Amino acid sequence: MNELKIYKSEIEELGFTTIENIYSTEEVQKIIETINQVDTSKDTFRKSNDLFAIRQFLKKVPETQKLIFNEKLQKVISELFGKNYFVIKSIYFDKPETSNWYVSYHQDLTISVDKKIELDNFKFWTTKQNQFAVQPPIEILENIYTIRIHLDDTDENNGALKVIEKSHLKKIYRPENIDWKTEKETTCNVNKGGIMIMKPLTLHSSSRTTNNKKRRVIHIELSDTNLPNGLNWSEKLN
C-alpha cells in the first residue's frame, strides 16, 4: 500500500511513474500468443517495416481483456486513479528490431469519440479510418491516465519513452518552447511485464531502435468523466 502511495505521488508531481512485475513471464507470453493469432487484415491495423499497430485494441482483440486486467492491474487502477475509471482508448504497438521510427516530443492532446458535434472548447477535429478525434477542454485531458504495458524489456536503445518531468503541470506546453536549461529529461526504462503510467499532458518522445530488440507495448487510456451533450468515448469499456 505504501508503494502505491509513492507511485500516485510520482504521477501527480512528476507526470509519470513505472511499476515492475505487474505480469509474470507466463502472463506476458499468453498475451503475446493471443495477439499473434489475430487476423491482421482489418482496417484498424497498420503494418509497415517500422511499425505494426492495432487501434481499438481491446475491442478488436477482446480475448486479451481478461489477461490484461489481472488482479494486480485492477488494484493499481482502483488505488491510484479511483474505482470509477474506465477505458477510453487502447492501441497495441509493435516496434520491430530494425525500426527507424521515432516520435519527437509532444503531448497527447486529442481524444477518440463516436461522432462530430460542434461544442464549445472542442476543437481541431480530425477523422481517420472512420474514427473521430478532437482536442477537448483541458479539464478533460487532466483527468486522463495512460497505462503502457510492456511486453519486452525496454530501454533507451529500443524506444523507451523519454519524458519531461512536471511538464503536465504547464497545461498546453509546445515542444518548441522547451527550456532545456531548466527542464529535466528522464528515460523510462521498463522491464517485460512492467508498466509505465503517464498523464497525457506530460511531454514525451521515443527514439529509434539501435539494439535490434523488439518493443511491444499496449497503450491504454482511462477516464472517469462522461462527455457532454451526447458526445461519447468511441472505445468506452468498463
Side-chain angles (χ1 to χ4, degrees), residues 218-231:
I218 298 168
H219 170 115
I220 300 174
E221 297 175 18
L222 301 100
S223 174
D224 66 351
T225 302
N226 290 315
L227 300 174
N229 299 338
L231 191 65

Side-chain angles (χ1 to χ4, degrees), residues 24 55-56 60 64-65 85 90 104 117 139 159 186 190 192 213:
S24 67
R55 297 187 181 278
Q56 300 184 31
K60 297 300 180 183
T64 61
Q65 291 180 23
Y85 271 76
S90 59
S104 58
I117 302 177
E139 296 79 16
T186 298
V190 185
K192 180 170 71 174
K213 292 184 178 179

Side-chain angles (χ1 to χ4, degrees), residues 75-134:
K75 182 176 182 181
V76 167
I77 292 170
S78 63
E79 295 289 340
L80 269 59
F81 310 163
K83 297 188 182 298
N84 297 320
Y85 271 76
F86 48 83
V87 174
I88 58 170
K89 187 174 185 178
S90 59
I91 309 174
Y92 168 72
F93 293 108
D94 179 351
K95 195 171 190 177
E97 297 92 329
T98 57
S99 176
N100 283 319
W101 168 56
Y102 76 98
V103 179
S104 58
Y105 267 107
H106 67 286
Q107 296 171 301
D108 292 336
L109 298 178
T110 63
I111 59 173
S112 297
V113 295
D114 64 336
K115 64 179 82 70
K116 183 176 181 179
I117 302 177
E118 295 300 333
L119 296 172
D120 290 343
N121 298 316
F122 283 76
K123 53 191 179 181
F124 309 127
W125 287 88
T126 60
T127 307
K128 184 184 293 183
Q129 296 174 331
N130 296 318
Q131 297 298 304
F132 297 96
V134 64

Side-chain angles (χ1 to χ4, degrees), residues 2-188:
N2 286 335
E3 277 192 341
L4 287 178
K5 286 183 179 179
I6 293 171
Y7 297 136
K8 184 171 185 176
S9 176
E10 287 179 346
I11 296 168
E12 299 307 320
E13 292 179 18
L14 302 177
F16 68 97
T17 193
T18 59
I19 308 176
E20 299 291 356
N21 302 312
I22 295 297
Y23 302 93
S24 67
T25 301
E26 292 75 19
E27 287 175 312
V28 170
Q29 189 57 38
K30 284 183 181 178
I31 293 170
I32 292 171
E33 288 173 357
T34 303
I35 294 170
N36 287 342
Q37 293 171 6
V38 172
D39 174 9
T40 61
S41 64
K42 300 173 184 176
D43 61 3
T44 49
F45 292 33
R46 174 184 165 194
K47 198 164 190 177
S48 70
N49 290 334
D50 274 346
L51 173 68
F52 173 57
I54 305 174
R55 297 187 181 278
Q56 300 184 31
F57 173 71
L58 292 172
K59 281 189 172 182
K60 297 300 180 183
V61 196
E63 303 86 352
T64 61
Q65 291 180 23
K66 286 186 178 181
L67 299 173
I68 288 168
F69 292 99
N70 67 5
E71 187 175 328
K72 285 185 177 180
L73 188 66
Q74 289 189 52
K75 182 176 182 181
V76 167
I77 292 170
S78 63
E79 295 289 340
L80 269 59
F81 310 163
K83 297 188 182 298
N84 297 320
Y85 271 76
F86 48 83
V87 174
I88 58 170
K89 187 174 185 178
S90 59
I91 309 174
Y92 168 72
F93 293 108
D94 179 351
K95 195 171 190 177
E97 297 92 329
T98 57
S99 176
N100 283 319
W101 168 56
Y102 76 98
V103 179
S104 58
Y105 267 107
H106 67 286
Q107 296 171 301
D108 292 336
L109 298 178
T110 63
I111 59 173
S112 297
V113 295
D114 64 336
K115 64 179 82 70
K116 183 176 181 179
I117 302 177
E118 295 300 333
L119 296 172
D120 290 343
N121 298 316
F122 283 76
K123 53 191 179 181
F124 309 127
W125 287 88
T126 60
T127 307
K128 184 184 293 183
Q129 296 174 331
N130 296 318
Q131 297 298 304
F132 297 96
V134 64
Q135 182 174 319
I138 194 77
E139 296 79 16
I140 291 176
L141 294 173
E142 289 175 330
N143 205 47
I144 295 172
Y145 292 91
T146 298
I147 299 176
R148 292 171 58 86
I149 299 165
H150 285 253
L151 306 180
D152 299 289
D153 293 336
T154 309
D155 59 25
E156 65 276 10
N157 298 310
N158 66 330
L161 283 195
K162 294 183 289 186
V163 300
I164 304 296
E165 292 188 5
K166 303 182 180 181
S167 53
H168 68 302
L169 301 174
K170 298 182 179 181
K171 309 292 183 180
I172 306 299
Y173 188 6
R174 301 297 178 192
E176 61 268 22
N177 295 328
I178 296 173
D179 183 354
W180 292 108
K181 294 178 182 176
T182 60
E183 300 291 15
K184 182 178 180 182
E185 180 184 66
T186 298
T187 300
C188 298

